[in-house]
Amino acid sequence: MKKLVIAEKPSVGKDIARALGAKNSGQGYMEGKGYIVTWALGHLVTLQEPEGYSPRYKNWELDHLPIIPEKIQLTIIPQSSKQFGIIKSLLPQANEVIIATDAGREGELVARWILDFAKNKAPIKRLWISSVTEKAILDGFRNLKEGSQYVNLYNSAYARAIADWFVGINATRALTTKFNASLSCGRVQTPTLAIIAKRDGDIQAFTPKEFYQHRFIFGGVKFTCPDRFFEKAKANEILKQLQGQKVTVKDVTAKLKKSHTAGYDLTSLQQDANRLYGFSAKETLNYTQQLYERHKVLTYPRTDSKFISADIVGTLQERVKAVNFGEYRNGASKLLKTGFYTSAFVNDAKVTDHHAIIPTEEIVDMSELGSGERKIYNLVVKKFLAMLYPPHEYEQTTVTIEVKGLTFTAKGNRVINQGYKEIYGKDIDDDEEEEDGEAQNLPVFKKAQPLDGEFTLHTGKTTPPSHFTEGTLLQAMENPVAFMEAKDGVLAKTLKETGGLGTVATRADIIEKLFNTALIETRGKHLHITGKGRQLLELAPKDLRSPVLTAQWEQQLSKIAGGELKREDFLKEIKIYTQAIIKEIKASEAIFKHTNITTTKCPDCSKLMLEIQGKKGKYLLCQDRECGHRKHLEITTNARCPKCHKRLTLAHNKFVCQCGHKESKEAFDERRKREGDKLNKKDVQKYIQQINKKDDFKNNTLAEQLSKLKF
């Protein structure tokens, strides 16, 4: 008998097999040295679709709702049924099963569903690791956990999946059939949409107001009064009273301040990658996953911690040595000589399932990394080295004057030790901002020193909040308390403790789904809610629009994971809730109206089509959800504008840019030939293959033009 190891993906399975010495290849597994190592392909088993319970559910009908099966059924995902069959056939050979899927709630669900559906009888052990280097794998196998320790984690994952199925399936079908429009609704995506809607509404309702602020200028130093006046006459009257007043320094204070930078969790990495490189949350996750899984140079990416645990400290030396090259050499070499400053970021209490994303002990071959992978690797390595550096230290001096009951201050900073900022040089590190107000180069001031200067009046305007980017939306999803209507302290605390809306692993997919269902769109780099999205929020049940529901669920799921609550008791409440929201939707008298309808008729059903601004360009979509005919109008390419260097859009045989630049395909080809540059061939060919898979694109003019591009 042998030990059967089940990994989540083939690449990880093969890494484990290599580390264990299982060198003999079989179909869908590796074998040797007493181990059989096999793998899933992500989920192999999933929840049964409604039509699997009854053929009548194949047609979406309002009268069929709610769909609440008495007994939950699992089913094999058809595309990966072969691999499931392989795992099932291997189980009888095993006297022990080792779960080696991703170490987290979702990874536990992947493995347990496979084992449950295959009727596994063998005892279970758990491999729990944060990187897939050979050393980490072997250390993990020397410290295998009992599978029973993770049963409650599985129960929590199971309850979450069933609850989302009940609410998501029923609410989406109810809204779609009630209003004859494709209206997707869910516990996480709908509150996320509401957050975007609230920001858009706040900006639209915002009216700029002119304000006036008094200043005192002395030798180029600006003292500012924080009080703002919105009446010009009042501000001028005070200015007159200030003129000619005797001014002396009331106080001079100097404080030593320190700042340190924490490591990256997935969300903060996605935010920086979006801000610096314009990467979407999904792109950043994919690049980081490749660096972890394929190249093995970064640790597990789906983490919500910015700290490392004490057991990692002993590995830091090898990790720094692995990045002691190229532009990182100066920083890494200095650390290897002086040692590591660890007190700020080693904290077991702040590490949940996984520590911060940091480099592994593997030495990277930069020539094997793609452009996006190199950028992500660069961000993580610099952040890692910065973590190990001493804090940035500076002295902040505040000089205060007081005239006619108004206080004016000037602030200045003097750097004492650059600390971790040495790693970034001229790069901006937005993760740590000095609390310095408007810092200036101050001369030496003394208390009671007379100042002969001039009072002035500064005019400014209040500004609205900014539209969300993907990076700032991720931040809002992580901390959605500000968007809760009811500021319940307990629920707010729960949201903060559980990481807000969604998880670090799912937020990217949630944002993608909002794009794919045409509920949001991009204008430049900013996100905006569409007319369809705005109407969905009006039609969806109130509870589904608020982060409060997620907070309440997470409270219960945490209790299940801790063994304090049975999953069946939680799901009883979810069934009652599902019945209530379907009743509410059925009783609605609201009307849905398309706001983006065009004059173009669908070639299949002759109904007018909708124009949608997708993430990668515009397309037309038939308004009849059962027809679903789609036609692309434009595609955002990876070719860059010669003027502003932003991505060009290909539409109607022309390349255009948002800055106003336009050129025909012929002119574009000629320019690229002269410059020796190329349009991204891989991306364009992938796009051609994608659209040619659809019958409605087989004669598409855009596809024909793309296929003629010269590389």
Side-chain angles (χ1 to χ4, degrees):
M1 298 293 281
K2 298 178 180 179
K3 297 179 180 180
L4 179 65
V5 182
I6 303 177
E8 190 156 331
K9 294 181 180 178
S11 58
V12 177
K14 290 170 184 176
D15 290 336
I16 292 173
R18 193 178 301 113
L20 296 175
K23 298 178 180 179
N24 301 324
S25 295
Q27 189 171 19
Y29 67 94
M30 303 285 286
E31 187 174 6
K33 298 250 179 122
Y35 290 97
I36 303 173
V37 182
T38 187
W39 44 81
L41 304 169
H43 278 279
L44 298 183
V45 176
T46 189
L47 291 169
Q48 181 67 268
E49 290 295 326
E51 50 267 33
Y53 292 95
S54 172
R56 72 187 189 123
Y57 294 144
K58 189 172 184 180
N59 295 323
W60 289 28
E61 299 289 346
L62 193 58
D63 292 341
H64 294 163
L65 305 176
I67 302 170
I68 303 179
E70 284 297 319
K71 185 178 180 181
I72 297 300
Q73 296 178 16
L74 298 175
T75 186
I76 304 168
I77 297 172
Q79 298 89 326
S80 50
S81 59
K82 183 178 179 181
Q83 186 61 24
F84 173 80
I86 290 169
I87 295 176
K88 186 176 181 179
S89 69
L90 294 171
L91 278 170
Q93 305 176 41
N95 61 354
E96 182 178 276
V97 173
I98 299 170
I99 295 177
T101 49
D102 287 352
R105 189 164 77 179
E106 197 63 23
E108 200 68 26
L109 190 69
V110 167
R112 299 279 181 162
W113 272 359
I114 293 170
L115 294 175
D116 284 358
F117 201 68
K119 295 182 171 52
N120 170 60
K121 301 281 195 247
I124 296 173
K125 291 284 181 71
R126 191 40 159 119
L127 176 72
W128 197 271
I129 56 176
S130 292
S131 63
V132 288
T133 62
E134 183 174 333
K135 181 178 182 301
I137 291 168
L138 293 176
D139 285 346
F141 270 87
R142 282 191 287 268
N143 294 281
L144 289 173
K145 313 294 183 183
E146 290 296 330
S148 57
Q149 291 181 228
Y150 299 90
V151 170
N152 287 331
L153 181 65
Y154 164 59
N155 287 333
S156 174
Y158 179 91
R160 193 276 312 155
I162 304 299
D164 277 334
W165 191 97
F166 281 154
V167 173
I169 290 282
N170 282 288
T172 296
R173 286 195 174 208
L175 289 168
T176 298
T177 53
K178 174 77 176 180
F179 302 105
N180 191 30
S182 183
L183 298 172
S184 179
C185 189
R187 169 183 63 96
V188 176
Q189 71 180 61
T190 308
T192 302
L193 182 65
I195 287 175
I196 300 170
K198 186 178 186 303
R199 177 59 58 87
D200 281 2
D202 289 345
I203 294 170
Q204 191 173 5
F206 184 84
T207 302
K209 290 183 179 179
E210 201 163 55
F211 67 86
Y212 306 91
Q213 220 170 0
H214 296 93
R215 290 177 175 173
F216 177 73
I217 310 299
F218 169 76
V221 177
K222 178 175 63 179
F223 290 78
T224 302
C225 177
D227 299 337
R228 288 181 174 185
F229 296 88
F230 292 92
E231 297 178 12
K232 189 174 183 179
K234 177 70 173 174
N236 280 326
E237 181 184 336
I238 293 174
L239 182 62
K240 287 180 182 178
Q241 295 173 12
L242 292 172
Q243 301 290 9
Q245 293 292 319
K246 182 180 178 182
V247 178
T248 58
V249 175
K250 180 185 178 183
D251 195 21
V252 179
T253 60
K255 290 183 179 179
L256 180 64
K257 294 198 171 187
K258 296 182 180 182
S259 69
H260 209 287
T261 185
Y264 275 129
D265 62 4
L266 178 59
T267 300
S268 59
L269 178 60
Q270 287 169 322
Q271 289 169 358
D272 275 3
N274 179 257
R275 175 176 57 85
L276 295 170
Y277 308 125
F279 292 165
S280 69
K282 188 72 172 176
E283 285 174 323
T284 299
L285 176 56
N286 289 342
Y287 291 140
T288 314
Q289 189 75 22
Q290 285 293 308
L291 290 165
Y292 158 72
E293 194 174 295
R294 179 184 168 197
H295 301 290
K296 302 174 186 58
V297 293
L298 294 185
T299 57
Y300 186 69
R302 298 167 190 257
T303 175
D304 59 0
S305 177
K306 297 181 179 180
F307 296 82
I308 67 170
S309 49
D311 61 323
I312 301 298
V313 173
T315 70
L316 294 177
Q317 185 92 357
E318 289 303 312
R319 295 174 196 268
V320 173
K321 285 181 179 178
V323 299
N324 188 17
F325 67 91
E327 63 179 299
Y328 317 121
R329 189 180 299 281
N330 289 340
S333 297
K334 184 174 179 179
L335 283 171
L336 292 170
K337 290 177 183 176
T338 62
F340 312 136
Y341 184 89
T342 60
S343 62
F345 65 88
V346 178
N347 191 329
D348 288 355
K350 292 187 177 181
V351 176
T352 51
D353 291 341
H354 299 280
H355 55 69
I357 304 169
I358 59 175
T360 66
E361 301 93 334
E362 296 288 315
I363 297 174
V364 68
D365 182 349
M366 296 297 277
S367 66
E368 291 187 359
L369 304 186
S371 173
E373 292 169 343
R374 282 197 297 272
K375 288 173 179 175
I376 296 300
Y377 183 75
N378 180 61
L379 285 177
V380 174
V381 171
K382 285 188 173 181
K383 179 69 80 170
F384 170 66
L385 294 176
M387 284 170 62
L388 300 174
Y389 260 65
H392 175 68
E393 296 179 296
Y394 61 100
E395 183 184 67
Q396 185 177 95
T397 301
T398 304
V399 184
T400 306
I401 63 174
E402 195 173 275
V403 186
K404 300 291 285 184
L406 297 176
T407 300
F408 296 75
T409 59
K411 291 184 179 181
N413 292 338
R414 180 176 65 86
V415 174
I416 296 172
N417 180 14
Q418 277 290 90
Y420 77 88
K421 288 184 180 281
E422 283 184 32
I423 296 297
Y424 291 97
K426 294 181 180 179
D427 293 349
I428 298 172
D429 175 37
D430 277 357
D431 192 51
E432 295 289 338
E433 287 291 334
E434 295 170 6
E435 299 175 4
D436 54 12
E438 294 185 63
Q440 307 171 72
N441 292 321
L442 299 182
V444 177
F445 285 95
K446 295 181 180 179
K447 193 172 181 178
Q449 175 184 345
L451 304 178
D452 184 14
E454 177 187 9
F455 286 98
T456 63
L457 194 62
H458 168 71
T459 303
K461 280 189 176 181
T462 57
T463 56
S466 299
H467 285 286
F468 283 119
T469 62
E470 282 204 39
T472 56
L473 178 60
L474 286 167
Q475 191 172 18
M477 292 173 74
E478 190 175 44
N479 187 20
V481 175
F483 302 91
M484 291 170 57
E485 292 181 10
K487 300 295 190 296
D488 185 303
V490 176
L491 293 178
K493 184 181 178 184
T494 302
L495 271 172
K496 185 176 181 180
E497 289 174 349
T498 56
L501 287 171
T503 66
V504 290
T506 61
R507 288 186 190 119
D509 286 329
I510 290 163
I511 295 173
E512 290 294 314
K513 189 167 186 178
L514 292 174
F515 277 114
N516 294 337
T517 52
L519 298 174
I520 62 173
E521 63 185 13
T522 55
R523 297 176 199 167
K525 64 179 182 179
H526 293 121
L527 309 181
H528 296 259
I529 190 169
T530 62
K532 178 183 177 182
R534 199 171 289 109
Q535 289 186 83
L536 173 63
L537 291 176
E538 294 172 0
L539 301 172
K542 185 178 179 181
D543 283 352
L544 281 178
R545 305 195 296 260
S546 171
V548 171
L549 182 65
T550 284
Q552 293 169 335
W553 281 26
E554 288 297 343
Q555 280 181 327
Q556 304 302 307
L557 294 172
S558 294
K559 288 182 179 179
I560 295 171
E564 303 170 41
L565 177 68
K566 292 182 178 179
R567 71 187 192 188
E568 292 78 12
D569 293 338
F570 170 72
L571 290 173
K572 281 179 186 176
E573 296 299 320
I574 296 300
K575 290 177 182 179
I576 294 170
Y577 173 72
T578 302
Q579 291 169 336
I581 62 172
I582 298 307
K583 185 177 179 180
E584 181 182 337
I585 293 171
K586 285 182 175 181
S588 173
E589 296 181 0
I591 297 173
F592 179 86
K593 185 178 180 180
H594 292 292
T595 58
N596 56 339
I597 202 156
T598 69
T599 57
T600 303
K601 287 186 177 181
C602 173
D604 291 343
C605 69
S606 298
K607 291 183 180 178
L608 295 179
M609 300 186 77
L610 310 173
E611 183 178 297
I612 296 173
Q613 176 64 55
K615 198 171 185 181
K616 298 296 184 182
K618 288 183 182 177
Y619 62 92
L620 295 178
L621 178 69
C622 181
Q623 63 175 291
D624 190 329
R625 64 180 179 84
E626 293 184 357
C627 173
H629 182 89
R630 183 183 297 235
K631 180 180 180 182
H632 277 267
L633 299 176
E634 63 182 31
I635 175 76
T636 301
T637 72
N638 277 346
R640 297 287 176 170
C641 173
K643 293 182 179 178
C644 69
H645 304 293
K646 292 181 179 177
R647 289 183 178 181
L648 291 171
T649 298
L650 180 60
H652 306 296
N653 205 27
K654 285 186 179 180
F655 285 91
V656 296
C657 179
Q658 55 186 280
C659 76
H661 171 76
K662 295 181 182 179
E663 60 185 327
S664 66
K665 189 188 77 66
E666 290 75 16
F668 172 86
D669 286 342
E670 186 60 34
R671 176 169 64 82
R672 283 294 187 248
K673 191 182 295 183
R674 290 196 309 270
E675 295 174 357
D677 198 0
K678 297 179 181 180
L679 182 64
N680 189 305
K681 180 177 181 179
K682 182 179 177 182
D683 285 353
V684 173
Q685 288 181 338
K686 183 179 178 181
Y687 177 72
I688 295 170
Q689 291 169 1
Q690 172 192 332
I691 62 178
N692 279 337
K693 285 179 182 178
K694 303 178 184 294
D695 291 337
D696 52 328
F697 284 119
K698 285 183 179 175
N699 297 313
N700 188 292
T701 304
L702 176 57
E704 292 175 8
Q705 295 301 331
L706 281 169
S707 66
K708 296 174 184 175
L709 288 176
K710 297 176 182 178
F711 299 98

